[in-house]
């Protein structure tokens, strides 16, 4: 069976930075799942949220992940909300190893604000919002096969830890 590696965690947890490093080390393709949705819809994530709403985005996200999980082995980085939607984590586990990239809410926020537009954090009160997201989602993230601390500024060492763990599991 094709085994994927799926990185989950808050926006700003480092999924899109760590996943390509893991993919390189394992010789697998890396897929940024938001990127797939954006290409399919021909518009950025914030516009999908604005025009069609979050519920529609979650459907698009579930479909994109289902398609990718059915394809050849890869390292997948879905957006931070994917893992917390009912049924998604189970679908991922059936086809891959799930890695939770753990960071405190404040670290996630500082990193997320440096990056691209994030509709769920728009409107200020970012730390309260990120803390609420973590509270809402942590029990889902914790169902991952392994948890890796990515709170330091060293994505390469988080990637190395993930690759070692995968090799110990005999899956890479
Ligand atoms: C979301 C995270 C985003 C993106 C969308 C919703 C979330 O991806 O999918 O804005 O619900 O946490 P990142 O985790 O890559 O920021």
């Amino acid at each position: 069976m094709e085994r994927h590696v799926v990185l989950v965690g808050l926006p700003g947890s480092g999924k899109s930075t760590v996943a390509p490093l893991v993919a390189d080390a394992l010789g697998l393709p890396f897929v940024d799942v938001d990127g797939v949705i954006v290409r399919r819809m021909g518009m950025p994530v914030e516009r999908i949220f604005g025009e069609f709403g979050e519920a529609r985005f979650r459907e698009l996200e579930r479909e994109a992940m289902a398609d990718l999980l059915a394809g050849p082995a890869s390292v997948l980085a879905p957006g931070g909300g994917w893992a917390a939607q009912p049924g998604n984590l189970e679908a991922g586990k059936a086809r891959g190893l799930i890695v939770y990239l753990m960071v405190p809410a404040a670290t996630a926020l500082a990193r997320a604000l440096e990056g691209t537009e994030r509709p769920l954090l728009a409107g200020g009160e970012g730390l309260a919002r990120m803390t609420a997201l973590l509270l809402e989602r942590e029990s889902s993230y914790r169902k991952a096969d392994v948890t890796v601390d990515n709170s330091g500024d060293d994505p390469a060492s988080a990637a190395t830890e993930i690759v070692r763990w995968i090799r110990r599991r005999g899956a890479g």
Side-chain angles (χ1 to χ4, degrees):
M1 185 180 80
E2 299 279 10
R3 283 300 252 179
H4 299 269
V5 179
V6 182
L7 268 62
V8 301
L10 286 172
S13 59
K15 301 181 294 289
S16 329
T17 311
V18 174
L21 303 175
V22 173
D24 265 5
L26 297 176
L28 294 175
F30 157 64
V31 185
D32 172 71
V33 180
D34 275 357
V36 171
I37 300 166
V38 165
R39 281 196 296 281
R40 283 184 178 178
M41 294 298 286
M43 61 177 82
V45 168
E46 60 269 28
R47 219 177 118 202
I48 302 174
F49 267 72
E51 287 192 17
F52 303 103
E54 181 175 349
R56 178 68 185 131
F57 176 80
R58 295 300 170 203
E59 275 174 25
L60 294 165
E61 181 176 56
R62 183 173 38 76
E63 286 162 15
M65 272 299 279
D67 292 347
L68 291 162
L69 288 166
S74 58
V75 179
L76 301 173
W82 173 81
Q85 297 296 308
N88 282 353
L89 205 62
E90 292 71 17
K93 278 196 165 200
R95 301 294 309 241
L97 297 168
I98 314 288
V99 179
Y100 171 30
L101 271 189
M102 190 182 58
V103 300
T107 308
L109 179 68
R111 291 186 193 155
L113 292 178
E114 281 169 16
T116 49
E117 288 295 317
R118 276 158 158 130
L120 291 182
L121 299 174
E125 296 182 350
L127 185 57
R129 185 76 192 108
M130 189 65 91
T131 304
L133 282 183
L134 182 56
L135 276 175
E136 242 172 72
R137 295 175 175 174
E138 198 170 18
S139 63
S140 304
Y141 291 158
R142 292 262 182 206
K143 289 183 193 149
D145 297 294
V146 66
T147 296
V148 171
D149 183 347
N150 192 37
S151 54
D153 267 327
D154 192 4
S157 86
T160 303
E161 193 179 331
I162 294 167
V163 170
R164 282 208 190 111
W165 180 82
I166 290 169
R167 293 214 164 110
R168 274 203 305 277
R169 294 268 311 224

